[in-house]
Amino acid sequence: DASVQRVVPHTLAGTITERLPAAVLKTSSVPLLLDSEGHVLTALTEAGEPELPLLTGIDYQGLVLGKPQPRQAAQAGIRLAGLLGNQFQGRAEVDMGNPDNAVVYIQGLRFQFGSSSFEEQWERYQKVEHALSADANGGQGELRNEIDLRYPGKVIVRERG
């Protein structure tokens, strides 16, 4: 965004607001860099991707054309990656192929989120997270689990082999 204002008597004042990268959208052809509002900033070269959350399962053609549904999915995926990024180190991969069943992979864990508020579901997990890590392998390290938060009032933990 840019704006210019005239300041009397002989001055022009300009303000520029830049969009900042927030995620990488993995596509079948070339990865796209997105801002926090789900706008495409640029296509990325093979030189390397920034260590931003990775989004998958979003209609990138619809996103480029400015359709609202892919943009909303991108915004939700970025918001979800931000929630988990506050607690876990590493790059989150968020699959938004089905917005009513968003899946996040981070640090060997798989989180499933339903269609209700991501914040409410994440808060529910955080209430029991300390017990899960204490119980893992009898306190001797951490099992790699699947955490299912899709059901109201429940945190379902499944061991993955």
Side-chain angles (χ1 to χ4, degrees):
D1 187 30
S3 65
V4 178
Q5 295 178 343
R6 179 175 178 232
V7 180
V8 179
H10 305 291
T11 306
L12 288 177
T15 304
I16 297 175
T17 305
E18 236 182 312
R19 293 185 181 274
L20 299 174
V24 174
L25 176 62
K26 186 176 177 181
T27 69
S28 58
S29 55
V30 62
L32 301 174
L33 192 61
L34 306 179
D35 73 354
S36 62
E37 296 176 8
H39 294 281
V40 176
L41 299 177
T42 187
L44 295 172
T45 63
E46 292 184 23
E49 294 179 6
E51 284 296 314
L52 295 170
L54 184 65
L55 303 181
T56 61
I58 297 173
D59 173 21
Y60 73 93
Q61 292 172 334
L63 191 62
V64 170
L65 293 174
K67 293 184 179 178
Q69 188 173 6
R71 178 156 298 129
Q72 290 168 354
Q75 290 170 343
I78 292 166
R79 193 173 80 245
L80 193 49
L83 281 174
L84 275 73
N86 290 334
Q87 184 162 344
F88 293 100
Q89 297 293 322
R91 187 179 199 185
E93 182 175 335
V94 183
D95 183 353
M96 293 300 294
N98 177 359
D100 291 334
N101 183 23
V103 180
V104 182
Y105 301 91
I106 190 165
Q107 285 190 352
L109 296 169
R110 180 177 193 252
F111 288 89
Q112 292 189 68
F113 289 83
S115 59
S116 65
S117 164
F118 292 150
E119 290 78 9
E120 182 275 325
Q121 293 174 70
W122 185 242
E123 191 175 300
R124 193 174 348 124
Y125 167 74
Q126 288 183 311
K127 288 179 183 176
V128 299
E129 190 270 336
H130 68 281
L132 295 176
S133 59
D135 287 343
N137 281 342
Q140 303 295 316
E142 209 174 289
L143 291 174
R144 293 304 175 202
N145 296 312
E146 179 175 350
I147 314 296
D148 192 341
L149 303 169
R150 295 176 291 174
Y151 305 100
K154 296 182 181 182
V155 175
I156 300 170
V157 180
R158 297 180 191 98
E159 289 184 25
R160 292 188 326 181

